[in-house]
Amino acid sequence: MAEMGSPPGWGRFVSLHRPALRAPQQHVGSAASRELAVVPAVDGVRTVLRFEGAVVLAVALVGYAQFGMGWGVFALWLFAPDLSLLGYLAGPRVGAALYNAAHALIGPVLLLALGVFAAQPWAVAGGLIWLARVGLDHALGFGLKYATGFASTHLGRIGRADPW
């Protein structure tokens, strides 16, 4: 029988001396308190992550200027990852999963690698456009989403009142 407070499954084996986790204090029935339980990047870390997004955007733009297929193609495909927002019609968990799949660096880096190693110009251009979009979003503070709601991101809460 597992000890009370020990993580289920693999967690027991990976971290044997893990400190006990405190449950976040929440007010019963408050939607805002459920969203505040998520801890985002704060202070200097948030600034570094947003600067990192700006650097990714700049490098992708310079790369696309060198190896791209024209700025019309760039403009056409720049907002394609935002189609993942339609996942929010199925709920916040599905929406966050689809949004994160389209806005993480994994996809564009793999597509770019495919283009470079397989000598496929369309994949290089697509990877650079996708990379530029991810960099733009991260630079503007639109981070990867938590399932608690659209406004909860790893870069902080989106909106006027940023309690983080």
Side-chain angles (χ1 to χ4, degrees), residues 3-117:
E3 287 183 33
M4 188 67 156
S6 67
W10 271 98
R12 291 191 303 216
F13 302 108
V14 175
S15 177
L16 297 176
H17 299 291
R18 183 173 164 173
L21 297 175
R22 283 190 328 171
Q25 296 179 358
Q26 297 180 356
H27 297 92
V28 177
S30 171
S33 64
R34 284 193 304 269
E35 288 189 26
L36 291 177
V38 176
V39 179
V42 292
D43 300 328
V45 174
R46 183 177 183 179
T47 303
V48 168
L49 289 173
R50 289 185 71 177
F51 182 69
E52 179 182 68
V55 169
V56 168
L57 171 62
V59 169
L61 288 173
V62 169
Y64 192 81
Q66 295 293 317
F67 305 108
M69 298 180 155
W71 293 106
V73 172
F74 185 89
L76 179 69
W77 288 103
L78 184 63
F79 296 102
D82 286 344
L83 293 174
S84 64
L85 291 171
L86 294 174
Y88 278 96
L89 295 174
R93 184 173 300 275
V94 173
L98 290 176
Y99 183 91
N100 291 343
H103 290 83
L105 291 171
I106 297 167
V109 168
L110 288 176
L111 184 60
L112 188 57
L114 170 73
V116 169
F117 294 124

Side-chain angles (χ1 to χ4, degrees), residues 89-154:
L89 295 174
R93 184 173 300 275
V94 173
L98 290 176
Y99 183 91
N100 291 343
H103 290 83
L105 291 171
I106 297 167
V109 168
L110 288 176
L111 184 60
L112 188 57
L114 170 73
V116 169
F117 294 124
Q120 297 294 322
W122 63 268
V124 171
L128 289 169
I129 294 169
W130 194 359
L131 203 58
R133 180 55 196 208
V134 171
L136 176 65
D137 279 357
H138 290 190
L140 293 175
F142 298 108
L144 300 177
K145 308 294 183 204
Y146 291 109
T148 56
F150 180 80
S152 299
T153 76
H154 84 286

